[in-house]
Amino acid sequence: MELLLLADPCEEAIKSYLYQSRCFIACAKGSVVGVCVIKPISERALELMNIAVSPSVQQNGVGTQLLRHVIEKVKASGAQRLEVGTGTFGYQLTFYQRQGFRVNCIDKDFFLNNYPEPIIENGIQHKDMLRLSLEF
């Protein structure tokens, strides 16, 4: 849960999707250093609900390797699409776009309507969510 909270600060939100999801972990020296959670949203589509890497190993490619592994597993499953929602700014958006995700739509006021506390990054409050997808 500690790692998952790095990417989604609301434990209740995490618990709401975790039981329906598949989890992948990245390990180093016997410790879990990364986690990724995907959830089916239709017969041929999954949603990446959460991906997080321990701060001690961030910026070393762990998240990229983990996401690439998950993408390959999703492709191999016969899915046609992997979706993700993220803020309208920040390193996360660039992270997904480097792997080929493209913006589909904007979910206005998502963070205002779905989180009890403001989510602030670089001094700016997240309000809207960008919905991105990777088509196979």
Side-chain angles (χ1 to χ4, degrees):
M1 185 60 72
E2 183 178 324
L3 276 177
L4 295 172
L5 286 167
L6 292 174
D8 187 340
C10 183
E11 189 169 338
E12 293 77 29
I14 294 169
K15 288 178 180 178
S16 75
Y17 60 73
L18 203 52
Y19 77 95
Q20 307 166 358
S21 302
R22 184 172 177 197
C23 298
F24 296 83
I25 60 169
C27 295
K29 299 179 184 175
S31 296
V32 174
V33 295
V35 62
C36 183
V37 179
I38 59 172
K39 180 180 95 171
I41 55 175
S42 74
E43 195 171 301
R44 295 285 185 201
L46 293 104
E47 183 172 357
L48 192 156
M49 302 301 294
N50 191 312
I51 185 166
V53 173
S54 176
S56 65
V57 296
Q58 287 179 0
Q59 302 298 314
N60 290 306
V62 173
T64 298
Q65 288 179 338
L66 181 57
L67 181 56
R68 287 181 180 162
H69 176 76
V70 169
I71 289 169
E72 289 306 314
K73 291 293 185 184
V74 170
K75 278 186 196 177
S77 76
Q80 295 173 339
R81 185 175 67 253
L82 180 60
E83 298 181 11
V84 66
T86 192
T88 56
F89 61 90
Y91 70 91
Q92 302 90 338
L93 180 57
T94 305
F95 174 71
Y96 297 124
Q97 289 177 319
R98 272 188 300 213
Q99 298 309 314
F101 285 85
R102 305 226 14 225
V103 175
N104 282 341
C105 65
I106 300 171
D107 190 346
K108 289 204 177 272
D109 295 331
F110 178 87
F111 295 105
L112 299 175
N113 295 332
N114 292 285
Y115 286 85
E117 300 292 325
I119 298 175
I120 309 291
E121 184 176 349
N122 296 324
I124 304 168
Q125 183 176 359
H126 280 284
K127 296 177 183 176
D128 306 321
M129 175 186 278
L130 288 181
R131 302 290 306 164
L132 296 90
S133 66
L134 182 61
E135 304 287 334
F136 305 123

